[in-house]
Amino acid sequence: MTTLACLPRRRALLATLLAAAAPWSAPVAAAWPERPVTIVVPYTPGTSMDTLARTLGPKLSQKLGQPVIVENRPGASGNIGTGFVANAAPDGHTLLMTVSTFVMNPSLFKSVPYDPLKSFAPVGRVAVGTLVFAVNPDFPATTLAQAIQAFRDRPGHYAYASPGNGTPQHLAMELFKLHTGVDLMHVPYSGSAGAVTDLLGGQVQAMILPANTALGHKQAGKLRVLATTQEKRIEVMPDVPTLAEQGVRGAEVDLWFGMLAPKSTPQAVVARLNREVNEILAMPEIRQSLDKQGLIVAPGTPEAFGELVADEYARWAQVIKKARITAD
Protein backbone atom coordinates (compact mmCIF):
# COMPACT_ATOMS: atom_id res chain seq x y z
CA MET A 1 0.00 0.00 0.00
CA THR A 2 1.30 3.44 -0.86
CA THR A 3 2.39 5.47 2.15
CA LEU A 4 3.06 9.15 2.71
CA ALA A 5 5.68 8.37 5.32
CA CYS A 6 9.35 8.24 4.42
CA LEU A 7 11.07 4.88 4.60
CA PRO A 8 13.50 5.70 7.44
CA ARG A 9 10.65 6.88 9.64
CA ARG A 10 8.62 3.79 8.83
CA ARG A 11 11.50 1.55 9.82
CA ALA A 12 11.93 3.45 13.08
CA LEU A 13 8.24 3.12 13.87
CA LEU A 14 8.33 -0.59 13.06
CA ALA A 15 11.32 -1.15 15.30
CA THR A 16 9.49 0.57 18.15
CA LEU A 17 6.37 -1.54 17.61
CA LEU A 18 8.15 -4.88 17.42
CA ALA A 19 10.11 -4.07 20.54
CA ALA A 20 6.81 -4.36 22.43
CA ALA A 21 7.07 -8.15 22.19
CA ALA A 22 9.42 -9.01 25.04
CA PRO A 23 11.93 -11.88 25.19
CA TRP A 24 10.49 -15.13 26.43
CA SER A 25 11.51 -18.22 28.31
CA ALA A 26 10.63 -21.80 27.45
CA PRO A 27 8.74 -22.44 30.75
CA VAL A 28 6.43 -19.48 30.10
CA ALA A 29 5.59 -20.71 26.61
CA ALA A 30 5.06 -24.28 27.81
CA ALA A 31 2.59 -23.19 30.50
CA TRP A 32 0.42 -21.04 28.25
CA PRO A 33 -2.54 -20.95 28.19
CA GLU A 34 -3.29 -21.75 31.81
CA ARG A 35 -6.90 -20.50 31.77
CA PRO A 36 -9.50 -19.15 29.32
CA VAL A 37 -8.31 -16.67 26.70
CA THR A 38 -10.37 -13.52 26.13
CA ILE A 39 -10.55 -11.73 22.80
CA VAL A 40 -11.71 -8.17 23.40
CA VAL A 41 -13.73 -6.56 20.61
CA PRO A 42 -13.84 -2.78 21.16
CA TYR A 43 -17.09 -2.39 19.21
CA THR A 44 -20.66 -3.66 19.51
CA PRO A 45 -21.84 -7.19 18.68
CA GLY A 46 -22.58 -7.78 15.01
CA THR A 47 -19.73 -5.68 13.66
CA SER A 48 -17.13 -7.21 11.34
CA MET A 49 -14.61 -7.40 14.19
CA ASP A 50 -17.13 -9.21 16.35
CA THR A 51 -17.88 -11.64 13.50
CA LEU A 52 -14.18 -12.32 13.03
CA ALA A 53 -13.55 -12.97 16.70
CA ARG A 54 -16.57 -15.25 17.05
CA THR A 55 -15.66 -17.14 13.88
CA LEU A 56 -12.09 -17.76 15.01
CA GLY A 57 -12.88 -18.32 18.69
CA PRO A 58 -14.18 -21.92 18.64
CA LYS A 59 -11.36 -23.13 16.39
CA LEU A 60 -8.76 -21.36 18.49
CA SER A 61 -10.25 -22.91 21.61
CA GLN A 62 -9.82 -26.38 20.11
CA LYS A 63 -6.19 -25.68 19.28
CA LEU A 64 -5.29 -24.14 22.65
CA GLY A 65 -7.23 -26.55 24.83
CA GLN A 66 -8.85 -23.69 26.73
CA PRO A 67 -12.11 -21.76 26.28
CA VAL A 68 -11.82 -18.64 24.11
CA ILE A 69 -14.24 -15.94 25.22
CA VAL A 70 -15.25 -12.98 23.04
CA GLU A 71 -15.93 -9.89 25.14
CA ASN A 72 -17.40 -6.71 23.66
CA ARG A 73 -16.16 -3.48 25.25
CA PRO A 74 -17.53 -0.76 22.94
CA GLY A 75 -17.33 2.99 23.36
CA ALA A 76 -15.39 6.08 22.27
CA SER A 77 -14.83 4.78 18.73
CA GLY A 78 -13.07 1.68 20.02
CA ASN A 79 -10.81 3.49 22.47
CA ILE A 80 -12.34 2.00 25.62
CA GLY A 81 -11.82 -1.64 24.72
CA THR A 82 -8.45 -0.94 23.14
CA GLY A 83 -7.26 0.85 26.27
CA PHE A 84 -8.44 -2.04 28.40
CA VAL A 85 -6.26 -4.50 26.50
CA ALA A 86 -3.32 -2.09 26.50
CA ASN A 87 -3.37 -2.21 30.31
CA ALA A 88 -4.08 -5.94 30.64
CA ALA A 89 -1.53 -8.41 31.98
CA PRO A 90 0.92 -9.37 29.19
CA ASP A 91 0.45 -13.10 29.69
CA GLY A 92 -1.35 -14.04 26.47
CA HIS A 93 -4.76 -14.44 28.11
CA THR A 94 -6.18 -11.09 26.93
CA LEU A 95 -6.09 -10.22 23.23
CA LEU A 96 -7.48 -7.48 21.00
CA MET A 97 -9.31 -7.85 17.70
CA THR A 98 -9.01 -4.49 16.00
CA VAL A 99 -9.60 -2.62 12.75
CA SER A 100 -7.98 0.24 10.81
CA THR A 101 -9.38 2.86 13.22
CA PHE A 102 -6.82 1.57 15.72
CA VAL A 103 -4.10 3.61 13.97
CA MET A 104 -6.38 6.53 13.08
CA ASN A 105 -7.81 7.38 16.48
CA PRO A 106 -4.59 8.73 18.05
CA SER A 107 -4.56 11.47 15.39
CA LEU A 108 -8.31 12.12 15.62
CA PHE A 109 -8.76 12.45 19.38
CA LYS A 110 -7.01 14.79 21.78
CA SER A 111 -5.99 11.76 23.81
CA VAL A 112 -6.43 7.99 23.64
CA PRO A 113 -5.59 5.39 26.34
CA TYR A 114 -3.00 3.61 24.22
CA ASP A 115 -0.08 4.08 21.87
CA PRO A 116 -0.44 1.96 18.70
CA LEU A 117 3.32 1.50 18.50
CA LYS A 118 4.26 1.07 22.16
CA SER A 119 1.25 -0.49 23.89
CA PHE A 120 0.94 -3.73 21.92
CA ALA A 121 2.74 -6.70 20.43
CA PRO A 122 1.38 -7.48 16.94
CA VAL A 123 0.07 -11.02 16.48
CA GLY A 124 -0.99 -10.78 12.85
CA ARG A 125 -3.36 -9.39 10.28
CA VAL A 126 -6.47 -11.53 9.99
CA ALA A 127 -8.66 -10.20 7.19
CA VAL A 128 -9.34 -7.38 4.78
CA GLY A 129 -12.65 -5.74 3.98
CA THR A 130 -12.91 -4.29 0.49
CA LEU A 131 -14.23 -0.77 -0.07
CA VAL A 132 -15.74 0.76 -3.21
CA PHE A 133 -16.51 4.26 -4.47
CA ALA A 134 -20.18 4.50 -5.42
CA VAL A 135 -22.61 7.16 -6.58
CA ASN A 136 -26.36 7.41 -6.84
CA PRO A 137 -27.45 6.25 -10.33
CA ASP A 138 -29.05 9.67 -10.99
CA PHE A 139 -25.66 11.35 -10.58
CA PRO A 140 -24.43 12.50 -14.03
CA ALA A 141 -21.39 10.22 -14.30
CA THR A 142 -20.83 6.65 -15.46
CA THR A 143 -17.05 6.66 -14.93
CA LEU A 144 -14.76 7.90 -12.19
CA ALA A 145 -13.24 10.48 -14.52
CA GLN A 146 -16.69 11.90 -15.26
CA ALA A 147 -17.51 12.00 -11.54
CA ILE A 148 -14.29 13.87 -10.76
CA GLN A 149 -15.02 16.36 -13.51
CA ALA A 150 -18.57 16.88 -12.22
CA PHE A 151 -17.21 17.51 -8.73
CA ARG A 152 -14.71 20.02 -10.12
CA ASP A 153 -17.32 21.81 -12.19
CA ARG A 154 -19.45 22.49 -9.11
CA PRO A 155 -17.12 22.66 -6.11
CA GLY A 156 -18.88 22.23 -2.79
CA HIS A 157 -22.22 21.46 -4.44
CA TYR A 158 -22.24 17.68 -4.12
CA ALA A 159 -22.22 15.75 -0.85
CA TYR A 160 -20.86 12.42 0.29
CA ALA A 161 -21.99 10.27 3.20
CA SER A 162 -20.02 8.40 5.85
CA PRO A 163 -20.96 6.36 8.94
CA GLY A 164 -19.50 9.15 11.07
CA ASN A 165 -16.57 11.49 11.64
CA GLY A 166 -13.26 9.69 11.80
CA THR A 167 -14.53 6.39 10.39
CA PRO A 168 -12.39 4.60 7.78
CA GLN A 169 -14.96 5.45 5.10
CA HIS A 170 -14.74 9.14 6.01
CA LEU A 171 -10.95 9.15 5.95
CA ALA A 172 -10.85 7.16 2.70
CA MET A 173 -12.97 9.80 0.99
CA GLU A 174 -10.86 12.61 2.40
CA LEU A 175 -7.77 10.85 1.03
CA PHE A 176 -9.54 10.66 -2.34
CA LYS A 177 -10.25 14.39 -2.15
CA LEU A 178 -6.61 15.17 -1.37
CA HIS A 179 -5.42 13.19 -4.39
CA THR A 180 -8.00 14.58 -6.83
CA GLY A 181 -8.42 18.12 -5.56
CA VAL A 182 -12.23 17.90 -5.55
CA ASP A 183 -14.45 19.75 -3.08
CA LEU A 184 -17.26 17.64 -1.60
CA MET A 185 -19.43 18.33 1.41
CA HIS A 186 -19.20 15.68 4.12
CA VAL A 187 -22.45 14.47 5.69
CA PRO A 188 -21.66 12.22 8.67
CA TYR A 189 -24.26 9.76 9.95
CA SER A 190 -24.45 7.77 13.17
CA GLY A 191 -23.83 4.49 11.41
CA SER A 192 -23.90 2.95 7.94
CA ALA A 193 -27.63 2.27 7.63
CA GLY A 194 -28.74 5.90 7.42
CA ALA A 195 -25.84 6.84 5.17
CA VAL A 196 -26.59 4.09 2.65
CA THR A 197 -30.33 4.84 2.75
CA ASP A 198 -29.75 8.49 1.84
CA LEU A 199 -27.23 7.52 -0.84
CA LEU A 200 -29.84 5.27 -2.43
CA GLY A 201 -32.43 8.04 -2.12
CA GLY A 202 -30.21 10.68 -3.68
CA GLN A 203 -29.99 12.96 -0.64
CA VAL A 204 -26.22 12.52 -0.95
CA GLN A 205 -24.46 11.75 -4.19
CA ALA A 206 -21.44 9.64 -3.29
CA MET A 207 -19.98 7.35 -0.66
CA ILE A 208 -17.14 4.95 -0.03
CA LEU A 209 -18.65 1.82 1.50
CA PRO A 210 -17.94 -1.90 1.94
CA ALA A 211 -18.18 -3.93 -1.27
CA ASN A 212 -20.53 -6.50 0.25
CA THR A 213 -22.92 -3.70 1.25
CA ALA A 214 -22.83 -2.17 -2.22
CA LEU A 215 -23.04 -5.41 -4.21
CA GLY A 216 -26.78 -6.09 -3.94
CA HIS A 217 -27.65 -2.46 -4.65
CA LYS A 218 -25.33 -2.46 -7.64
CA GLN A 219 -26.94 -5.59 -9.04
CA ALA A 220 -30.39 -4.04 -8.56
CA GLY A 221 -29.35 -0.87 -10.37
CA LYS A 222 -29.76 1.26 -7.24
CA LEU A 223 -26.07 2.18 -7.01
CA ARG A 224 -23.38 2.84 -9.58
CA VAL A 225 -20.01 1.55 -8.40
CA LEU A 226 -17.23 3.47 -10.15
CA ALA A 227 -14.07 2.15 -8.49
CA THR A 228 -12.58 -0.13 -5.87
CA THR A 229 -10.14 1.32 -3.38
CA GLN A 230 -7.80 -1.67 -3.34
CA GLU A 231 -4.68 -2.17 -5.43
CA LYS A 232 -6.32 -4.96 -7.44
CA ARG A 233 -9.82 -5.61 -8.75
CA ILE A 234 -12.01 -7.63 -6.41
CA GLU A 235 -13.52 -11.00 -7.16
CA VAL A 236 -17.14 -10.04 -6.48
CA MET A 237 -16.96 -7.05 -8.86
CA PRO A 238 -14.47 -7.95 -11.58
CA ASP A 239 -15.99 -5.36 -13.92
CA VAL A 240 -15.16 -2.46 -11.60
CA PRO A 241 -11.70 -0.91 -12.13
CA THR A 242 -9.48 0.29 -9.29
CA LEU A 243 -8.77 3.92 -8.49
CA ALA A 244 -5.20 3.51 -9.78
CA GLU A 245 -6.40 2.05 -13.08
CA GLN A 246 -8.35 5.27 -13.56
CA GLY A 247 -5.47 7.58 -12.79
CA VAL A 248 -6.01 8.17 -9.05
CA ARG A 249 -2.84 6.76 -7.49
CA GLY A 250 -1.90 6.89 -3.83
CA ALA A 251 -5.50 6.80 -2.57
CA GLU A 252 -5.69 3.02 -2.14
CA VAL A 253 -7.33 1.95 1.13
CA ASP A 254 -7.76 -1.44 2.77
CA LEU A 255 -10.14 -1.89 5.67
CA TRP A 256 -7.89 -4.29 7.55
CA PHE A 257 -8.49 -6.32 10.71
CA GLY A 258 -5.87 -7.77 13.01
CA MET A 259 -5.05 -9.27 16.39
CA LEU A 260 -2.76 -7.76 19.01
CA ALA A 261 -1.58 -8.64 22.49
CA PRO A 262 -0.44 -6.30 25.30
CA LYS A 263 3.15 -5.15 25.14
CA SER A 264 5.70 -7.48 26.72
CA THR A 265 3.65 -10.57 25.91
CA PRO A 266 6.20 -13.42 25.55
CA GLN A 267 7.37 -13.81 21.99
CA ALA A 268 6.73 -17.54 22.08
CA VAL A 269 3.08 -16.91 22.95
CA VAL A 270 2.78 -14.38 20.11
CA ALA A 271 4.41 -16.83 17.70
CA ARG A 272 2.09 -19.65 18.67
CA LEU A 273 -0.99 -17.44 18.42
CA ASN A 274 0.11 -16.33 14.98
CA ARG A 275 0.67 -19.90 13.83
CA GLU A 276 -2.67 -21.15 15.18
CA VAL A 277 -4.65 -18.24 13.73
CA ASN A 278 -3.00 -18.62 10.31
CA GLU A 279 -3.86 -22.32 10.29
CA ILE A 280 -7.46 -21.51 11.14
CA LEU A 281 -7.63 -18.93 8.36
CA ALA A 282 -6.48 -21.60 5.90
CA MET A 283 -9.52 -23.77 6.68
CA PRO A 284 -12.01 -23.78 3.75
CA GLU A 285 -15.01 -23.41 6.05
CA ILE A 286 -13.49 -20.34 7.69
CA ARG A 287 -12.72 -18.75 4.34
CA GLN A 288 -16.27 -19.41 3.17
CA SER A 289 -17.76 -18.04 6.38
CA LEU A 290 -15.78 -14.82 6.17
CA ASP A 291 -16.46 -14.48 2.46
CA LYS A 292 -20.18 -14.31 3.23
CA GLN A 293 -19.42 -11.35 5.49
CA GLY A 294 -17.50 -9.57 2.72
CA LEU A 295 -14.13 -10.30 4.30
CA ILE A 296 -11.04 -11.77 2.65
CA VAL A 297 -8.68 -13.79 4.84
CA ALA A 298 -5.27 -12.15 5.04
CA PRO A 299 -2.84 -14.17 7.18
CA GLY A 300 0.72 -13.07 7.74
CA THR A 301 3.57 -12.77 10.22
CA PRO A 302 3.71 -10.57 13.33
CA GLU A 303 6.52 -8.65 11.65
CA ALA A 304 4.44 -7.94 8.54
CA PHE A 305 1.50 -6.81 10.63
CA GLY A 306 3.79 -4.61 12.71
CA GLU A 307 5.07 -2.99 9.55
CA LEU A 308 1.50 -2.40 8.37
CA VAL A 309 0.54 -0.78 11.68
CA ALA A 310 3.59 1.51 11.66
CA ASP A 311 3.08 2.40 8.01
CA GLU A 312 -0.63 3.12 8.39
CA TYR A 313 -0.16 5.10 11.60
CA ALA A 314 2.24 7.49 9.87
CA ARG A 315 0.13 7.65 6.71
CA TRP A 316 -3.18 8.51 8.37
CA ALA A 317 -1.60 10.99 10.77
CA GLN A 318 -0.55 13.03 7.76
CA VAL A 319 -3.91 12.65 5.98
CA ILE A 320 -5.81 13.72 9.10
CA LYS A 321 -3.53 16.72 9.60
CA LYS A 322 -3.76 17.86 5.97
CA ALA A 323 -7.53 17.44 5.82
CA ARG A 324 -7.96 19.00 9.30
CA ILE A 325 -10.19 16.17 10.47
CA THR A 326 -11.36 15.68 14.04
CA ALA A 327 -13.60 13.00 15.51
CA ASP A 328 -15.88 15.58 17.17
Side-chain angles (χ1 to χ4, degrees), residues 79-90 94 113-114 119-120 262-263:
N79 291 332
I80 291 177
T82 304
F84 174 81
V85 178
N87 292 294
T94 305
Y114 68 94
S119 301
F120 298 93
K263 67 177 180 180

Side-chain angles (χ1 to χ4, degrees), residues 72-136:
N72 296 91
R73 286 180 172 264
S77 298
N79 291 332
I80 291 177
T82 304
F84 174 81
V85 178
N87 292 294
D91 56 13
H93 293 93
T94 305
L95 308 171
L96 176 70
M97 183 67 73
T98 192
V99 69
S100 305
T101 50
F102 167 77
V103 295
M104 300 171 178
N105 285 352
S107 299
L108 289 167
F109 293 87
K110 292 182 180 179
S111 65
V112 295
Y114 68 94
D115 184 312
L117 304 180
K118 298 179 181 179
S119 301
F120 298 93
V123 174
R125 188 174 67 166
V126 175
V128 171
T130 56
L131 298 173
V132 297
F133 183 102
V135 296
N136 181 278

Side-chain angles (χ1 to χ4, degrees), residues 41-43 47-54 97-99 101 257 295:
V41 175
Y43 289 87
T47 58
S48 295
M49 271 175 294
D50 186 64
T51 298
L52 273 170
R54 295 182 189 280
M97 183 67 73
T98 192
V99 69
T101 50
F257 301 85
L295 300 173

Side-chain angles (χ1 to χ4, degrees), residues 44-63:
T44 56
T47 58
S48 295
M49 271 175 294
D50 186 64
T51 298
L52 273 170
R54 295 182 189 280
T55 300
L56 298 178
K59 298 290 187 182
L60 190 57
S61 176
Q62 293 173 11
K63 285 179 167 289

